[in-house]
Amino acid sequence: MQSSSTNNKNSKAQQARRRFLQKLGLLGAAADSYTLLELQAKTTASAASGDKRWGLLIDTSKCASGCDACVRGCNTEHGIDASDSDLTRAQWIRKIDLKDKLTGKESSLPVMCQHCDSAPCVDVCPTGASFKRADGVVLVNKHTCIGCRYCMMACPYKARSFIHENLTEQKPSAPRGKGTVESCTLCVHRIDSEQDMQPACAVACTDEAHSAIVFGDLNDPDSNISRQLQSAGGSQIRSDLQLNTGVRYHGL
Amino acid sequence: MCPERAFGLWAILWLLLASGLGHASDEGPIIPPASFGDQCVADTEIMRKQHMSLLNHQRDETVIEGVRGNPFSLVGCVNCHAQKDDNGQAIRIDAEGQFCESCHAYAAVKIDCFSCHAALPEEGFGNTHEVIGLNTPVIAPLAAADPAKHFSHQQRQVLQSHRVAAGPHNQLRGNAALKNIISTHTTEHQRPVNSDTR
C-alpha cells in the first residue's frame, strides 16, 4: 500500500516534470523559429541554399597531359606552397595520366575532392568537422577538426591532405593551419561572394585555353554544366561506391 | 633613533609606497589606433568585451552556412587594425605591440587565430571604396540600433548587460519578455524603436 502511494507520488512528480519539460520544449521551439526569422532578416548576404548543388564537369578529351594549370591556379588561390617536401605538402588537386591497357587510349585528368552526396569522410568524422553544406560542398570545419585523419583513410579518392608544419603567410580568404585536414573547397569563398564566380582551377584551365573544367549548378537544368551533362554525359570515378559525386568526368 | 636616520627610513618607505601606487594606477595596454575609419562595427565597449563571441557566432554562420559579408569578420578586423611600418609594409596584427597582441599580452590570453588565419590585411585593402564606407558609421551603434536583427538571443542577453540607458529594449529581459518579443516579431507588429539611433 505504502509502496503504491509512493509510486503515485512519483508518477505525479514525473507528470509535472514532463509538463515542465514540454513547456521548455515549446519555448525552445519558439526561440528556434525566432532564430530562423532572424536569419531571413539578413540583407547583407544569404546562406548556401539546398536548391543548388555545385559541381564540376571535367572533359578529359580537352585536358592536356603535362598541363598542371589547374593545380597551380589552386595553389596560388589558397596559398599552398608547392615547393614543400613531397612527403608532407598539401595537394588539393592531382593530375593523373591513365592508359587503357587494352586499347592504348591515354587520358589525363585532374582529381580533387569529388564532393560526394553521401560522403564517407563526413560519415567517419568523430567531431562533425567534416561536413556537407546545404549546396553540396564538402568541407572541413577546421575549428572543430582534431586532425585524427579518419577522413583521409575513408576517402576513396585520396583527396585530403594533412598539414604537418606550421604555416605562415596564409591568404585572408583561405585559412589553413597545422594539425588540420584540408581539401578542395570548390572555392567557396569565391562562389559565395559573387554571382557567376568560378573556382580558381576552372579559371586557370580556361586561361590556358583548354576549358576542360566546367563549374555550375547541377540542380539547374538550364545551367551550362547540366546541359553539357545532358548532351554528352558524364561518369563518376568509382561509381560502384554509389557516392553520387558532384565532380563528373566526360570521356573516360 | 637620530632624526636623520628616521627621515631616511621615512624616505625609503615613501619611495616604496610611491612605486607601489605607480603600479596600481597602471592605465592598461597601449593599443594602436585603427589604420582606417573612425567607427568600428560596434561600440568599443562591446568590441572589447564581446569580440570573441561575436567572431565565433559569425564564424559558424560563414563556415557552415556560407553566409558571407557580415560585419564581424576576422579579415575585417585585420584589414582596418593592422598597422604599416615606415616603409609602408603591413605589420602582422599579432606582432608585439600591435592591435591584437598589445591587449592580449596585457591580459595574458593567448591568441590562437593567426596560426591559421592571415595576420596581414587583404591585398589592396585601403585602395578601394570599402574604406570610404567605414568613415561613416556603417553599422553603428549596432547593438543599440536593433539587437534583435543582428544577434542571437544569448548575445542579446550579454549585450543587455552593457546597455547603460534604460531604453525600450530592456524589455528583452526575462522569459516573459522573450515570449513578448517572439510574438511581436512573428506577427510583425512594430517593434520598439530607439529614437536616438534611427
Side-chain angles (χ1 to χ4, degrees):
Chain A
M1 186 68 201
Q2 198 183 5
S3 78
S4 101
S5 88
T6 329
N7 274 348
N8 238 350
K9 268 184 197 164
N10 273 348
S11 76
K12 266 186 187 166
Q14 273 170 2
Q15 275 170 5
R17 185 191 290 164
R18 201 168 295 141
R19 275 199 302 275
F20 174 70
L21 287 174
Q22 274 171 347
K23 276 182 195 162
L24 262 188
L26 278 178
L27 194 66
D32 279 351
S33 69
Y34 177 59
T35 319
L36 285 176
L37 281 170
E38 196 178 291
L39 284 176
Q40 281 165 1
K42 252 171 211 139
T43 52
T44 44
S46 60
S49 152
D51 296 342
K52 287 194 184 333
R53 168 129 200 248
W54 296 122
L56 294 173
L57 174 62
I58 293 155
D59 190 340
T60 56
S61 62
K62 291 181 183 168
C63 182
S65 176
C67 170
D68 64 348
C70 53
V71 181
R72 281 184 280 117
C74 178
N75 288 350
T76 312
E77 180 72 19
H78 302 103
I80 299 168
D81 187 358
S83 65
D84 277 355
S85 150
D86 254 8
L87 289 171
T88 57
R89 92 187 134 89
Q91 193 177 40
W92 292 17
I93 307 178
R94 279 174 295 148
K95 269 305 293 287
I96 290 192
D97 290 317
L98 296 177
K99 184 175 183 184
D100 190 326
K101 279 181 184 164
L102 190 69
T103 60
K105 187 198 171 207
E106 289 184 11
S107 42
S108 181
L109 61 148
V111 177
M112 66 285 278
C113 169
Q114 305 285 299
H115 298 280
C116 310
D117 188 26
S118 40
C121 57
V122 176
D123 285 347
V124 301
C125 180
T127 65
S130 189
F131 72 105
K132 192 181 71 169
R133 270 182 16 160
D135 55 8
V137 181
V138 176
L139 295 175
V140 180
N141 183 350
K142 290 166 191 171
H143 303 106
T144 30
C145 176
I146 53 170
C148 72
R149 291 165 269 179
Y150 279 159
C151 57
M152 291 175 69
M153 295 290 120
C155 178
Y157 306 103
K158 268 178 124 180
R160 288 202 161 165
S161 304
F162 180 74
I163 306 299
H164 293 263
E165 318 280 350
N166 274 322
L167 299 179
T168 51
E169 290 166 37
Q170 291 93 331
K171 302 266 172 172
S173 54
R176 307 170 56 234
K178 181 177 164 184
T180 60
V181 172
E182 59 182 32
S183 60
C184 160
T185 63
L186 267 187
C187 285
V188 271
H189 58 287
R190 293 166 76 108
I191 62 177
D192 283 346
S193 302
E194 282 170 59
Q195 275 211 322
D196 303 326
M197 270 295 250
Q198 302 274 313
C201 56
V203 173
C205 190
T206 308
D207 288 350
E208 206 78 357
H210 294 308
S211 299
I213 305 177
V214 177
F215 166 80
D217 181 7
L218 295 168
N219 280 353
D220 175 9
D222 293 327
S223 67
N224 190 12
I225 190 171
S226 296
R227 276 189 271 115
Q228 289 201 28
L229 273 169
Q230 206 173 16
S231 61
S235 53
Q236 307 175 44
I237 314 179
R238 291 298 307 271
S239 57
D240 56 315
L241 297 171
Q242 300 185 324
L243 301 173
N244 186 9
T245 58
V247 180
R248 304 289 171 109
Y249 292 85
H250 173 65
L252 270 186
Chain B
M1 193 186 285
C2 70
E4 287 85 7
R5 204 178 232 186
F7 179 75
L9 270 174
W10 273 114
I12 288 166
L13 255 175
W14 259 115
L15 273 174
L16 279 173
L17 256 175
S19 64
L21 281 173
H23 277 295
S25 64
D26 183 358
E27 281 176 8
I30 299 158
I31 306 166
S35 301
F36 295 107
D38 46 24
Q39 174 63 54
C40 194
V41 289
D43 298 344
T44 308
E45 248 338 91
I46 292 170
M47 291 311 284
R48 278 197 184 149
K49 289 190 176 168
Q50 301 301 324
H51 62 280
M52 261 336 284
S53 105
L54 296 167
L55 279 169
N56 278 348
H57 181 69
Q58 185 169 314
R59 168 195 91 182
D60 291 342
E61 278 183 350
T62 304
V63 175
I64 299 165
E65 292 164 25
V67 180
R68 280 170 211 272
N70 280 344
F72 300 112
S73 88
L74 190 63
V75 175
C77 299
V78 178
N79 279 346
C80 284
H81 286 282
Q83 304 277 300
K84 287 203 166 79
D85 65 14
D86 296 339
N87 302 323
Q89 293 293 310
I91 310 169
R92 281 183 70 98
I93 202 166
D94 61 344
E96 198 182 333
Q98 294 303 302
F99 183 74
C100 293
E101 200 273 347
S102 56
C103 209
H104 274 258
Y106 179 79
V109 180
K110 191 185 164 201
I111 320 172
D112 202 23
C113 304
F114 302 105
S115 56
C116 290
H117 287 272
L120 294 171
E122 285 177 302
E123 248 171 72
F125 184 86
N127 307 328
T128 62
H129 64 280
E130 288 169 82
V131 180
I132 300 163
L134 284 169
N135 290 321
T136 55
V138 218
I139 316 143
L142 208 162
D146 197 349
K149 209 167 183 176
H150 293 279
F151 300 111
S152 71
H153 172 61
Q154 274 178 326
Q155 285 176 330
R156 280 198 303 277
Q157 285 195 326
V158 177
L159 290 168
Q160 280 298 316
S161 59
H162 288 290
R163 197 157 297 126
V164 185
H169 286 298
N170 282 347
Q171 290 165 5
L172 290 180
R173 254 188 217 120
N175 276 346
L178 178 65
K179 272 188 212 158
N180 188 25
I181 197 174
I182 290 160
S183 62
T184 48
H185 204 86
T186 45
T187 53
E188 301 211 332
H189 287 159
Q190 202 178 359
R191 267 179 295 132
V193 173
N194 203 343
S195 57
D196 57 7
T197 54
R198 291 222 176 153

